[in-house]
Amino acid sequence: VLDVGCGIGGSAFYMVKEYGVKVVAIDLSSNMIKIGMERAEEMGISLLDVQFEVADATKRVYPDNYFDVVYSRDTILHIKDKLDLFQRFYRCLKPGGRLLISDYACSPDEHSEQFKAYVKQRGYNLLSPEQYGKVLEKAGFVNVKADDRTDLFVESLEKELVRTETIKDDFVKEFSQKDYDDIVGGWKDKLVRTATGDQRWGVFYAEKPAN
């Protein structure tokens, strides 16, 4: 499995433990990769099973027909040329290989000025879930499923808010009140943007033809 934007390795560790796969886990952040390697050691996960790498998915070249699965969670929103990236994924997947992505998206409608300012400030490049699916098809993928699962995103945010509020005192002691306010405020802002309809969240599945 190629895990694009792996962060500190949570998804990679889960896949290794639950499915017995081997993962190449890449991220632009050397700090994230360092923490991921430390966590792997703490959890007794071999670095042969999760191979961490500081790499840019838009530039890193892997052998053709190499991976069984490409996975990415909430990372590709930063990348402008999604078609080129998806073509890279297509080439490095084996025939019959599968791709699973979750990512920030937007509504196909005209957006509020506040949302436009947010996207610009963040440097995001967002598509509607339907547009996202069409780019995957253009890259050569088949059996593409582009699902708007903003409901799942909202549910997760609401749960995290409740959970984080219950550990507020411990969190502030370990980090700071500002860190807490930034995180909680960011989640609440996302709930506002999804409620207005501007911000969406998609789950995307696709396959490379078997022949």
Side-chain angles (χ1 to χ4, degrees):
V1 178
L2 175 63
D3 183 351
V4 178
C6 65
I8 59 174
S11 297
F13 300 149
Y14 178 84
M15 287 187 277
V16 167
K17 290 192 292 184
E18 293 297 319
Y19 300 105
V21 301
K22 293 188 181 297
V23 181
V24 175
I26 68 172
D27 201 283
L28 279 172
S29 169
S30 57
N31 188 47
M32 292 283 194
I33 293 296
K34 179 176 179 289
I35 295 170
M37 294 175 73
E38 291 169 353
R39 288 187 70 209
E41 186 175 355
E42 290 168 4
M43 297 169 68
I45 293 175
S46 169
L47 294 180
L48 296 175
D49 289 330
V50 179
Q51 178 185 325
F52 283 101
E53 182 180 343
V54 179
D56 183 343
T58 66
K59 297 174 182 174
R60 179 70 164 91
V61 177
Y62 292 101
D64 291 352
N65 308 317
Y66 185 72
F67 293 104
D68 296 288
V69 174
V70 172
Y71 168 81
S72 181
R73 178 182 172 186
D74 300 356
T75 297
I76 295 169
L77 68 163
H78 297 284
I79 296 169
K80 185 173 183 179
D81 192 348
K82 291 178 174 46
L83 177 59
D84 180 73
L85 181 70
F86 295 159
Q87 288 170 335
R88 287 173 177 271
F89 291 166
Y90 185 92
R91 286 193 295 271
C92 72
L93 276 169
K94 296 175 184 176
R98 289 171 285 180
L99 174 143
L100 180 64
I101 295 169
S102 72
D103 209 9
Y104 284 25
C106 61
S107 76
D109 309 313
E110 181 63 25
H111 303 135
S112 67
E113 292 304 315
Q114 294 96 322
F115 186 69
K116 290 177 184 176
Y118 160 75
V119 170
K120 183 178 180 181
Q121 185 264 330
R122 291 282 186 167
Y124 291 164
N125 289 276
L126 304 182
L127 301 174
S128 70
E130 183 181 1
Q131 289 170 323
Y132 212 108
K134 290 188 183 303
V135 178
L136 286 167
E137 289 174 346
K138 192 173 181 181
F141 287 99
V142 297
N143 297 330
V144 173
K145 296 177 183 175
D147 295 329
D148 184 335
R149 293 309 313 268
T150 308
D151 58 326
L152 215 61
F153 183 65
V154 169
E155 182 183 320
S156 176
L157 283 172
E158 289 173 341
K159 284 181 180 176
E160 282 301 304
L161 277 170
V162 171
R163 187 182 71 84
T164 305
E165 284 167 0
T166 64
I167 60 166
K168 178 180 178 179
D169 292 343
D170 291 337
F171 185 98
V172 170
K173 279 180 188 175
E174 186 170 352
F175 300 100
S176 70
Q177 182 67 48
K178 183 181 182 303
D179 288 330
Y180 178 86
D181 291 341
D182 286 347
I183 289 172
V184 169
W187 288 340
K188 288 181 177 178
D189 288 346
K190 287 183 175 70
L191 288 173
V192 171
R193 289 191 293 270
T194 54
T196 60
D198 283 333
Q199 186 167 344
R200 316 303 295 162
W201 187 75
V203 176
F204 309 96
Y205 171 85
E207 298 172 0
K208 182 173 178 176
N211 49 33

